[in-house]
Amino acid sequence: MKVLVAKKLGFCFGVEHAIDMAQKLLVERKKVYCLGPLIHNSQVVERLAHQGLQVVENLEQITPAADEKDTPTVLIRSHGCRPELLQKIKAKGFQLVDATCILVKRAQKLVQELHQQGYQVIVVGDPNHPEVQGVVGYAPEVIVVNGEEDISRLPPHGRLAVISQTTHSAEDFGRLVGYIATRGYEEMKVVNTICRETARRQASAVELCRLVDVMFVLGSRHSANTGELAQLCRRKGVDTYHLQDWQEFKPQYVVGKGTAGITAGASTPGWIIQEFAENLQHF
Ligand code: F3S
């Protein structure tokens, strides 16, 4: 069948940087830990685990070093974390290597600055996503808005500053900002913190939706930006399947379809995309 691949898809520079950092550390040092999976892709996480990267849930699971040469290294993933955690890592005497994406760092800094300027900070995003859980730690009483139902929790008046989870869909961010504006705040400052990589992947997917009969969105079901891509394609009216890799493909997905499109989230490695595209072409 005819297969078209999105112009922009797969690994973003933030994810590539985090993986590079992990691989360098694993060559240089013995004990390297990551709090939670480094990226939302089980195949990559498994490969790094084979190279020695240990995934832990909390710092208490890390055994302190018997001597200095053995000091554990804690790698902060591209999603970032709360500032207290960075201090706790240092206080425990562990080596800290911070792979927080520069665009997530920008959002963290903005939350801090906007709060200092007297704004009530609002983050549009998923309160359960590690990036959001980290970002809200940069100022007190940050409110997370994930849908219209959360807007009733906002204060009735005051000065509001709204930012977004970096991987949120631009369409949804705009929609929720619109709803918030209807409440008539005296001042609303909106800073677009959606990352360009996410925006470009979304724009490429929308472009592709116009040309295909079916869309395959590749990536982990835990990956926020992959999920957003799949939802976006569905909203464009194209039959869309969010699959982790070729193993999840079923022939009935392409019955009666002439052209298929492929896109992938920012944590989906190139080899998964290539394998899927080749197999689909020969199907
Ligand atoms: Fe950074 Fe955007 Fe990737 S925020 S980790 S470049 S999806």
Side-chain angles (χ1 to χ4, degrees), residues 137-148:
Y138 282 77
E141 289 153 24
V142 175
I143 301 174
V144 180
V145 168
N146 198 21
E148 288 152 51

Side-chain angles (χ1 to χ4, degrees), residues 42 82 94 117 135 148 150 175-176 185 193 196 202 207 252:
S42 54
R82 295 176 73 91
F94 300 151
Q117 290 162 19
V135 163
E148 288 152 51
D150 297 321
R175 191 180 65 85
L176 290 171
Y185 291 100
T193 48
R196 288 183 303 277
Q202 289 173 0
E207 205 181 306
Q252 64 258 37

Side-chain angles (χ1 to χ4, degrees), residues 171 202-203 205-206 209 227-236:
E171 272 182 20
Q202 289 173 0
V206 169
C209 281
E228 290 284 356
L229 276 175
Q231 278 181 29
L232 188 64
C233 296
R234 284 186 196 114
R235 284 203 294 271
K236 296 295 156 200

Side-chain angles (χ1 to χ4, degrees), residues 12-15 78 101-104 131 166-167 195 197-198 225 266:
C12 62
F13 62 79
V15 164
S78 51
C101 173
I102 48 162
L103 299 177
V104 176
E131 177 196 321
T166 57
T167 49
C195 113
E197 295 275 321
T198 301
N225 71 85

